[in-house]
Amino acid sequence: QVTLVESGGGSVQAGESLRLSCTASGSTDRINLMAWFRQAPEKEREPVAGILIGVGSTYYAASVKGRFNISHEHAKNTIYLQMDSLKPEDTGVYYCGARTGNGYSWVWPREYNHWGQGTQVTVST
């Protein structure tokens, strides 16, 4: 079993930055992919950024490419999402997901069998 705990959300003005953290515990050696998703009110959960654990390959949604950066700190079993130049449309609950089985694409929520509780990000004009 894997437990994920997110932190770092908050309320900021447009153009400012935030850094989210997601720390995994439990059977962390089985994790091969981690990612950040977000969900705005009355919208579906959408992919933001993903990282292949051990390989280091990173993936980004087009809407955040060039503004967000995902990274992994192996010693702390933690991934980070550095979010710069935030926009109001980045507002939502940000969830961390982890995959311990086989999969095909980082963008599908169903790929992930472990999720954190979410952290709220609010960007105002």
Side-chain angles (χ1 to χ4, degrees):
Q1 186 67 0
V2 172
T3 301
L4 303 174
V5 178
E6 301 110 329
S7 62
S11 296
V12 296
Q13 300 280 333
E16 295 183 341
S17 300
L18 280 174
R19 189 176 82 153
L20 306 182
S21 300
C22 172
T23 299
S25 59
S27 300
T28 59
D29 56 318
R30 299 179 60 196
I31 298 174
N32 54 60
L33 172 68
M34 295 184 74
W36 290 97
F37 283 71
R38 66 188 180 193
Q39 189 165 16
E42 300 182 355
K43 290 191 175 181
E44 291 188 355
R45 192 170 295 193
E46 64 174 3
V48 176
I51 185 166
L52 275 175
I53 303 302
V55 176
S57 300
T58 57
Y59 312 95
Y60 296 94
S63 59
V64 306
K65 194 171 292 185
R67 300 188 297 122
F68 290 11
N69 184 71
I70 187 170
S71 60
H72 174 239
E73 187 170 357
H74 179 77
K76 295 185 177 181
N77 291 314
T78 298
I79 64 167
Y80 303 96
L81 185 67
Q82 177 65 41
M83 305 185 294
D84 298 325
S85 303
L86 282 160
K87 304 176 181 180
E89 50 264 44
D90 294 318
T91 294
V93 178
Y94 282 67
Y95 296 93
C96 172
R99 186 184 75 186
T100 57
N102 295 323
Y104 296 95
S105 174
W106 76 277
V107 303
W108 300 337
R110 65 175 183 265
E111 292 271 312
Y112 303 85
N113 46 349
H114 303 282
W115 290 96
Q117 81 287 351
T119 184
Q120 177 71 44
V121 172
T122 304
V123 185
S124 57
T125 56

